[in-house]
Structures are given as C-alpha cells and as structure tokens.
C-alpha cells in the first residue's frame, strides 16, 4: 500500500469514519469520545476525554500524525517572509 494513501473504513456505530494515514488508523477526537461515551455510559464525559487526551500524549510523544492544513498555510507565510 502506498504510504500516502488515505482510505476510509465503515463508521463504527454511525459515528465518524476511521481513516488510515501513513499506515496508522486515525479518527477525530470527537468521534473517539463519542464512541467511548456510548460504550461507557456511566462514565463522566469529561473523564473520558481526559483519558483519551492522556493516551494520545503517551502514544504520540508530542509529535502529531496529522495537522490542520491551516498550519501549513501559516508555515508558508512565515517561510515566504524570509524569501522576500
């Protein structure tokens, strides 16, 4: 599989599709929290989100797998200033 390929999977419980980016399955924070809230209805939603964010930090070691394209646009603006 091409490492730049992004493929969609069938949404779990109808909540946001899981995508594969560079061979790693990813989903939006909102969709992960929503699925966990459905599976753990007795848990405080704030606690669920806190657990997810803590796990993300441990998994990612602070390096994002994906970033908003607006970050690239901002980086281009900064880099373009150095050229001008």
């Amino acid at each position: 599989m091409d490492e730049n390929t992004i493929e969609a999977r069938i949404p779990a419980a109808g909540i946001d599709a899981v995508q594969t980016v560079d061979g790693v399955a990813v989903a939006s924070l909102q969709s992960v929290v929503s699925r966990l809230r459905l599976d753990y209805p007795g848990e405080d939603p704030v606690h669920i989100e806190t657990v997810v964010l803590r796990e993300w930090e441990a998994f990612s070691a602070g390096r994002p797998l994906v970033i908003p394209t607006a970050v690239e646009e901002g980086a281009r603006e900064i880099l373009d200033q150095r050229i001008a």
Side-chain angles (χ1 to χ4, degrees):
M1 172 189 287
D2 183 313
E3 66 181 29
N4 295 320
T5 300
I6 299 174
E7 63 185 43
R9 293 187 192 171
I10 297 173
I15 302 171
D16 205 4
V18 173
Q19 305 287 318
T20 301
V21 177
D22 291 340
V24 178
V26 297
S28 72
L29 173 63
Q30 179 182 352
S31 67
V32 170
V33 171
S34 294
R35 285 193 295 271
L36 289 171
R37 287 182 67 187
L38 287 173
D39 291 343
Y40 300 91
E43 288 288 340
D44 178 7
V46 172
H47 177 67
I48 291 174
E49 186 169 332
T50 300
V51 169
V52 171
L53 291 173
R54 190 176 330 132
E55 283 300 302
W56 175 81
E57 287 175 0
F59 177 82
S60 68
R63 182 181 171 121
L65 178 63
V66 295
I67 57 172
T69 56
V71 172
E72 179 182 0
E73 292 169 17
R76 288 181 184 281
E77 288 178 16
I78 292 167
L79 293 169
D80 286 343
Q81 289 175 2
R82 290 188 59 163
I83 294 172

